């Protein structure tokens, strides 16, 4: 039981297994010895592997007394972390309890049993260790985890945001804290600061340099320096320094940007209401949960999460929601003042958003009454706040899981295996030839650096960097470059509706009033003298949360449009007026004078108030803000001169109609509503009620919302139009042509969302008529094979909770998800990922942050702070950025494949050349290596990555990983071709009649006894070639291999359908032509100085022509095999198989004919291969499932006319 596995953050996103360990002296001694023996390499290995580090230096121990904890995430990545357990001394074990004795100076030392600060003997006695207890904790990802004696486990401590009732916030936490209690709580919660420390350049440098690739480069540079290979070593050093500096600049810039984002409210002075001292000013860093802060009149940037106790605040929450719309926050209802408020209701920041001020949001202004201060209780501080959690998600992102990167590491391991074979071969061969030990060590290690190229990381990054630059040119900014490759695999895109597919603003389409339970004819606007005093227009003018900020009316765009449509004027009470009155009509709305009838002078001219009858004003007495859970808002208002007050409600038609008296709701209400929603119009219902005279101003302030919102009179409908963005249909059509699924995730009405989906082309029936209700029994005879699910957030929540097995089936055909809460959007993205979709998410930042972060490729159309967690941000608020991102992602992905294949071939070609030369105790020369590595390889790598993306999206997707049939066949075939031609050249040169083992006096360029000497052989007698570099085999392999590098670069530089053709990459074409010409010139027209520098020997001209023929044949075979055989036969065979595995709506699959069943895929054994992706496998199962789609019984379903076989059924679950 001691070593029982336990979990922390159970059932949460950051759930982890936790294990306890204690330091072990003999293990530490062994590790120290190992570090010394390995020259520090063991220390590096333990630095890279936290699990090994802990297990190598510690022994398992119970969690209760452990010194170190080892953590492992329970997600698919199983990442390991370790943390040191700290011990502090405290007067209590719970932060929210009040200890019997609270010292003015708290102990805050590690294992410090003294009481610093207690100078008096009495103080020492009072603060004796007997009063203190040890509190054990550790910190992981900026969150403190404390030991819980009751649960026998570590856990993160909570503030007032969990398990605290609303009544206790008013009764127990509204008086503020004393200094002692604040210091006591600060011991647990720490400093109230979202600390994003910008690491020093030195720290970042050390962390970057300790990357395994750079360590390998350092090893290579040391080895090459030992082997006197200075030039390339210097080149690698320079290239590594440039790469490190570029990486340091990018990382530091991101840290500084994040630091600046949170620094605005890091340290400010705030006024707190202290329990024992009244008001006092303290630093915001000293705030703890339970403190009562005073919100100043001119507002502030919130340094914490707090719940309002009194007054109201106008807040800009763009940092959280992405919507720069002022929101009105009201005080948390007091149970004693509000009889209907439940005493035991538990407070939660999300459930009581309308009463909570979130960290980082800006309080623009406050409203208070009768000189009452606007107060709020701190509920969360530091990284526990809403903004802290956002910053944590950026500081500690989840690892990127992409098959390409997994396969890349596997391929590197394969190259290491090849290097090991070469290593053993070199050692054995050298020992047999009695080569000195020092040379054996250098040459055998050198074969490793040849096989695993140190320049690989820089080469792989080049394509991503170029893609990032191209994205920046089209206004797409990226904070996670590795995600660009993943975007090349996206096959499903989720779109928000409002502001993404449709325009941000709403326009008033018209109004339709109700009189005597009958709908009147629709009217275009409400700006009319006839309607000025009607309850309908009064509701439009008064039922809103608009406010004036610096003289400008601000608020929800929907409210603003409705209010502007009335033409009324809004006036707010001044600061002086609010201090004189007690919550009396702070906001007044009135119609403009031109809408009012002309004032009639009274018969008695002596009356001064003869114009009063013509004055019409409505004062808003109390607001019940809009609630997404209730789907409505309500206000209580009073018209000037009226004794009774009025209640006005507006909201979702179904909800509002349910609050009204049945006799006031038209019988054709549902039919009229559906007629509007099927046109994609947004419909809002309004209702009115004349309140009883007993409800005075003071009683209205304390009355329950439910008591007001009942027995209403239905007034009619307000119809708003939300137009599609101009580019939306075309973009979605491009995505459909590319076999990319599109899904709508919105908070809007279900039928409206379905209508917009039809209009924009997500759902493509024969016509665009909204489906009508269908009786369940009719579904059995419905001749449809293509269908879409449309469901509301409520249905999605029920299915998620109670019918988990249905979720994969529903998301497979789900196209419209309406009334979705922000966390449900994230759950939907996860559900789609669970069936192996590569999911993209496009939203405007409002309530989409979680989904944007969770998706494989999240792109925000908002540049506000809320989008900072999104991997991509578009400067242009248009979904046209989505195809651009996918195209660039595909181009970058294919470029990564090309570069990786080329670098692999470069390593293998050089490995083959060196291995053949090692067989005769020879090698390539230093300048030969330098020419190949710098002049050929680096130039080709950095220019072949420049191909821009293809101009349009195609139906194919590039492979996701390197371990795939076409890519492996391509690499293996090129390796065999290169090996064959190198072997032919190596053996054939030895069969030439002029061949003899080369010596400094050899001269094969002239017949024996001919006078004179070739320029390249001049002075041969003075040459000393201790490494046996100069020989005929070396010269032959050097020229053949140089052309092989150029050939495979051309063969691997694929263009269509993912990149522009190779010939459009002018720098690459120029580089290849120049290198071809230069190598041909050196081979066919030898110059003594060049041959001497490259350590080449003179060979007869006929052999040079023979080498040219070998090179030309090699090039022809390589390009023929790569572009003709692999691309036209094997690639298409495998792609067709993958294409058939991908899910398409069943109606789009033509029946397979006999020729398909007997085609090459069948011959190659691919005919019955099961789909790899879960969604494709599931789609095949559902095709033969007689019970799918389910026959609705309690759901509402709708369909388009089904006269044709290709009709589209929309099943909507409400």
């Amino acid at each position: 039981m001691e070593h029982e596995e336990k979990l922390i953050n159970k059932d949460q996103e950051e759930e982890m297994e936790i294990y306890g360990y204690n330091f072990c002296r003999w293990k530490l001694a062994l590790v120290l010895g190992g570090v010394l023996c390995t020259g520090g390499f063991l220390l590096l290995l333990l630095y890279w592997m936290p699990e090994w580090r802990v297990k190598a230096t510690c022994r398992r121990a119970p969690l209760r007394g452990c010194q170190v904890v080892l953590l492992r995430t329970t997600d698919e990545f199983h990442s390991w972390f370790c943390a040191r357990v700290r011990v502090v001394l405290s007067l209590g074990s719970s932060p929210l309890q009040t200890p019997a004795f609270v010292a003015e100076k708290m102990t805050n030392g590690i294992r410090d049993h003294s009481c610093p600060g207690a100078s008096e003997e009495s103080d020492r006695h009072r603060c004796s260790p007997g009063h203190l207890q040890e509190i054990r904790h550790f910190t992981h990802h900026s969150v403190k985890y404390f030991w819980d004696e009751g649960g026998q486990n570590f856990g993160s401590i909570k503030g007032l945001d969990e398990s605290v009732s609303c009544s206790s916030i008013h009764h127990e936490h509204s008086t503020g804290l004393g200094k002692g209690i604040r210091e006591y709580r600060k011991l647990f919660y720490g400093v109230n600061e979202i600390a994003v420390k910008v690491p020093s350049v030195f720290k970042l440098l050390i962390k970057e340099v300790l990357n395994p690739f750079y360590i390998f480069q350092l090893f290579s540079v040391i080895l090459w320096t030992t082997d006197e290979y200075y030039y390339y070593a210097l080149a690698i050093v320079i290239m590594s320094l440039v790469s490190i500096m570029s990486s340091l600049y990018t990382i530091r810039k991101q840290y500084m940007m994040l630091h600046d984002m949170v620094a605005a409210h890091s340290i400010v002075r705030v006024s707190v209401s202290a329990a024992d001292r009244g008001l006092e000013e303290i630093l915001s860093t000293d705030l703890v949960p339970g403190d009562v802060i005073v919100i100043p009149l001119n507002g502030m940037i919130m340094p914490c999460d707090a719940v309002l106790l009194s007054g109201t605040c106008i807040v800009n929450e763009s940092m959280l929601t992405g919507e720069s719309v002022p929101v009105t926050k009201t005080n948390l209802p007091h149970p004693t003042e509000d009889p209907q408020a439940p005493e035991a209701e538990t407070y939660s920041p999300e459930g009581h958003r309308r009463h909570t001020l979130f960290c980082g949001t800006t309080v623009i202004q406050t409203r208070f009454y009768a000189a009452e201060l606007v107060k709020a209780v701190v509920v969360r501080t530091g990284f526990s706040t809403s903004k802290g959690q956002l910053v944590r998600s950026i500081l500690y992102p989840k690892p990127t899981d992409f098959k390409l990167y997994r396969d890349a590491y596997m391929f590197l391991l394969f190259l290491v295996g090849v290097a090991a074979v070469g290593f053993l071969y070199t050692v054995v061969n050298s020992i047999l030839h009695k080569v000195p030990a020092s040379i054996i060590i250098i040459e055998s290690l050198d074969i490793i650096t040849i096989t695993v190229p140190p320049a690989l990381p820089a080469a792989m990054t080049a394509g991503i960097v170029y893609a990032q630059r191209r994205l920046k040119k089209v206004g797409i900014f990226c904070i996670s470059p590795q995600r660009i490759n993943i975007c090349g695999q996206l096959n499903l895109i989720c779109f928000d509706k409002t502001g993404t597919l449709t325009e941000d603003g709403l326009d008033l389409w018209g109004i339709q009033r109700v009189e005597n339970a009958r709908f009147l004819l629709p009217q275009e606007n409400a700006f009319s003298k006839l309607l000025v005093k009607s309850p309908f227009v009064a509701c439009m003018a008064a039922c809103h949360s608009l406010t004036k900020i610096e003289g400008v009316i601000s608020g929800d765009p929907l409210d603003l449009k409705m209010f502007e449509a009335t033409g009324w004027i809004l006036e707010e009470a001044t600061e002086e007026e609010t201090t004189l009155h007690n919550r009396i009509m702070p906001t007044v709305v009135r119609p403009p004078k031109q809408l009012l009838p002309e004032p009639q002078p009274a018969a008695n001219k002596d009356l001064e108030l003869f114009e009063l009858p013509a004055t019409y004003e409505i004062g808003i007495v109390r607001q019940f803000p809009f609630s997404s859970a209730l789907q409505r808002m309500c206000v209580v208002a009073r018209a000037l001169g009226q004794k009774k007050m009025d209640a006005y409600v507006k909201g979702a038609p179904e909800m509002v109609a349910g609050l009204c008296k049945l006799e006031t709701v038209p019988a054709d209400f549902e039919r009229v509503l559906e007629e509007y929603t099927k046109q994609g119009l947004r419909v809002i219902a309004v209702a009115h009620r004349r309140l009883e005279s007993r409800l005075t101003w003071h009683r209205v302030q304390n009355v329950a919302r439910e008591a007001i919102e009942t027995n209403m009179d239905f007034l009619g409908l307000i119809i708003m139009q939300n137009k599609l963005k101009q580019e939306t249909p075309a973009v979605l059509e491009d995505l459909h042509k590319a076999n990319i699924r599109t899904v709508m995730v919105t908070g809007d009405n279900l039928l409206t969302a379905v209508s917009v989906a039809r209009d924009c082309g997500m759902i493509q029936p024969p016509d665009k008529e909204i489906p009508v209700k269908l009786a369940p029994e009719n579904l059995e005879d419905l001749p449809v094979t293509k269908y879409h699910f449309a469901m509301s957030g409520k249905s999605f929540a029920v299915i998620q909770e109670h019918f988990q097995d249905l979720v994969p089936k529903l998301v497979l055909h789900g196209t419209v998800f309406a009334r979705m809460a922000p966390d449900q959007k994230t759950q939907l993205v996860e559900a789609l990922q669970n069936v192996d979709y590569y999911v993209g998410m496009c939203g405007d930042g409002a309530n989409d942050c979680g989904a944007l972060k969770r998706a494989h490729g999240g792109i925000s159309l908002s540049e506000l702070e809320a989008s900072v967690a999104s991997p991509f941000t578009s400067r242009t608020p248009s979904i046209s950025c989505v195809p651009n991102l996918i195209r660039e992602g595909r181009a970058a992905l294919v470029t990564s494949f090309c570069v990786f294949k080329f670098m692999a071939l470069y390593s293998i070609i050089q490995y083959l050349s060196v291995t053949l030369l090692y067989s005769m105790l020879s090698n390539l020369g230093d300048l030969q290596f330098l020419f190949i590595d710098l002049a050929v390889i680096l130039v080709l790598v950095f220019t072949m990555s420049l191909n821009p993306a293809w101009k349009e999206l195609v139906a194919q997707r590039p492979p996701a990983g390197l371990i795939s049939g076409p890519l492996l066949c391509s690499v293996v075939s090129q390796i065999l071709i290169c090996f064959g031609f190198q072997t032919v050249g190596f053996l054939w040169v030895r069969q030439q009649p002029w061949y003899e083992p080369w010596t400094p006096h050899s001269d094969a360029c002239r017949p024996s006894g001919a006078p004179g000497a070739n320029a390249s052989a001049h002075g041969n007698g003075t040459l000393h070639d201790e490494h046996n570099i100069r020989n005929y085999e070396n010269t032959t392999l050097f020229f053949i291999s140089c052309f092989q590098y150029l050939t495979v670069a051309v063969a691997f530089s694929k263009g269509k359908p993912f990149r522009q053709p190779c010939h459009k990459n002018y720098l690459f074409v120029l580089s290849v032509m120049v290198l071809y010409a230069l190598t041909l010139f050196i081979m066919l027209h030898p110059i003594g100085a060049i041959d001497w520098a490259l350590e080449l020997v003179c060979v007869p001209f006929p052999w040079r022509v023979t080498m040219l023929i070998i090179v030309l044949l090699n090039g022809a075979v390589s390009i023929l095999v790569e572009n003709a055989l692999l691309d036209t036969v094997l690639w298409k065979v495998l792609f067709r198989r993958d294409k058939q595995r991908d899910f398409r709506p069943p109606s789009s699959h033509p029946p397979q004919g006999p020729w398909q069943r007997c085609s090459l895929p069948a011959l190659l054994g691919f005919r019955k291969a099961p789909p790899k992706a879960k969604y494709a496998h599931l789609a095949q199962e559902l095709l033969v499932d007689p019970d799918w789609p389910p026959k609705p019984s309690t759901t509402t379903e709708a369909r388009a006319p089904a006269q044709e076989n290709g009709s589209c059924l929309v099943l909507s679950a409400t």
Side-chain angles (χ1 to χ4, degrees), residues 963-982:
I963 313 299
S964 63
L967 292 174
L968 287 180
C969 287
S970 172
V971 171
V972 171
S973 62
Q974 294 300 329
I975 289 174
L976 294 176
I977 292 168
C978 292
F979 176 68
F981 279 98
Q982 280 200 36

Side-chain angles (χ1 to χ4, degrees), residues 620-636:
I620 301 171
V621 179
R622 187 180 180 190
Q623 286 183 353
F624 296 97
F626 175 79
S627 165
S628 56
L630 300 176
Q631 299 180 25
R632 63 181 182 270
M633 81 166 291
C634 173
V635 296
V636 177

Side-chain angles (χ1 to χ4, degrees), residues 89-110:
L89 297 177
S90 170
L91 294 167
S93 58
S94 172
L96 296 181
Q97 74 179 18
T98 303
F101 168 71
V102 179
E104 287 296 321
K105 296 182 178 180
M106 301 297 295
T107 302
N108 193 19
I110 305 299

Side-chain angles (χ1 to χ4, degrees), residues 147-463:
W147 175 253
D148 176 19
E149 195 66 39
Q152 290 293 299
N153 197 1
F154 285 94
S156 57
I157 58 170
K158 306 297 181 183
L160 301 182
D161 55 322
E162 285 191 14
S163 306
V164 177
S165 67
C166 295
S167 60
S168 69
I169 286 181
H170 280 285
H171 294 145
E172 301 172 18
H173 302 286
S174 60
T175 56
L177 303 176
K179 184 177 180 183
I181 294 291
R182 183 180 299 118
E183 290 296 328
Y184 167 72
R185 290 189 180 181
K186 193 174 176 182
L187 188 66
F188 291 88
Y189 293 109
V191 176
N192 174 35
E193 185 179 19
I194 303 174
V196 180
K197 296 179 181 177
V198 180
S200 65
V201 175
F202 179 74
K203 282 186 178 179
L204 285 175
L205 180 64
I206 295 299
K207 189 175 181 180
E208 189 72 17
V209 166
L210 292 181
N211 183 290
F213 276 116
Y214 289 123
I215 296 298
F216 180 68
Q217 286 183 335
L218 179 63
F219 163 76
S220 302
V221 167
I222 293 172
L223 181 66
W224 294 330
T225 306
T226 307
D227 199 22
E228 300 178 356
Y229 186 30
Y230 302 117
Y231 302 108
Y232 189 60
L234 180 63
I236 287 292
V237 167
I238 292 172
M239 190 169 63
S240 298
L241 286 175
V242 171
S243 176
I244 289 172
M245 291 304 143
S246 172
S247 179
L248 289 185
Y249 172 77
T250 304
I251 294 172
R252 189 170 168 81
K253 184 180 178 183
Q254 289 179 358
Y255 268 109
M256 291 179 71
M257 181 182 70
L258 195 57
H259 176 270
D260 293 342
M261 187 187 89
V262 301
H265 59 87
S266 290
I267 303 177
V268 294
R269 296 198 70 84
V270 293
S271 297
V272 296
S273 179
D276 50 357
R277 295 185 183 83
L279 288 181
E280 65 176 356
E281 278 199 356
I282 64 171
L283 290 175
S284 60
T285 51
D286 294 329
L287 291 173
V288 294
D291 267 323
V292 176
I293 61 174
V294 177
I295 312 295
L297 175 66
N298 57 351
M300 64 186 295
I301 297 177
M302 289 299 297
C304 57
D305 287 354
V307 59
L308 267 176
L309 289 176
S310 60
T312 59
C313 294
I314 310 299
V315 184
N316 185 340
E317 291 189 330
S318 62
M319 190 283 302
L320 288 181
T321 65
E323 290 183 338
S324 188
V325 174
V327 179
T328 301
K329 301 283 186 173
T330 59
N331 61 295
L332 187 70
H334 199 302
T336 58
E337 298 178 0
D338 188 351
Q340 300 296 323
E343 285 274 346
E345 183 182 6
T346 302
Y347 168 77
S348 73
E350 290 303 318
H352 296 84
R353 288 187 67 91
R354 285 291 177 180
H355 315 298
T356 305
L357 305 173
F358 292 102
C359 179
T361 60
T362 304
V363 178
I364 302 170
Q365 67 183 35
T366 61
R367 292 181 183 173
F368 54 92
Y369 308 96
E372 181 183 9
L373 295 174
V374 179
K375 294 181 179 180
V377 178
V378 177
V379 293
R380 295 187 298 203
T381 58
F383 279 99
S384 298
T385 62
S386 51
K387 184 164 188 175
Q389 292 168 10
L390 174 64
V391 173
R392 282 184 66 239
S393 69
I394 300 169
L395 285 175
Y396 313 107
K398 289 185 72 172
T400 302
D401 182 33
F402 190 40
K403 196 171 185 295
L404 170 65
Y405 304 129
R406 296 198 304 271
D407 290 354
Y409 284 114
M410 290 182 65
F411 205 85
L412 283 176
L413 288 176
F414 166 73
L415 291 180
V416 169
V418 173
V421 173
F423 178 88
L424 293 174
Y425 168 77
T426 304
V427 171
V428 172
N429 186 60
S430 299
I431 290 174
L432 292 176
H433 288 84
K434 299 180 180 180
V435 176
S438 59
I439 296 177
I440 292 178
I441 293 172
I442 291 174
E443 289 189 345
S444 56
L445 291 176
D446 194 34
I447 201 78
I448 296 176
T449 65
I450 289 171
T451 313
V452 184
L456 182 61
M460 290 289 289
T461 307

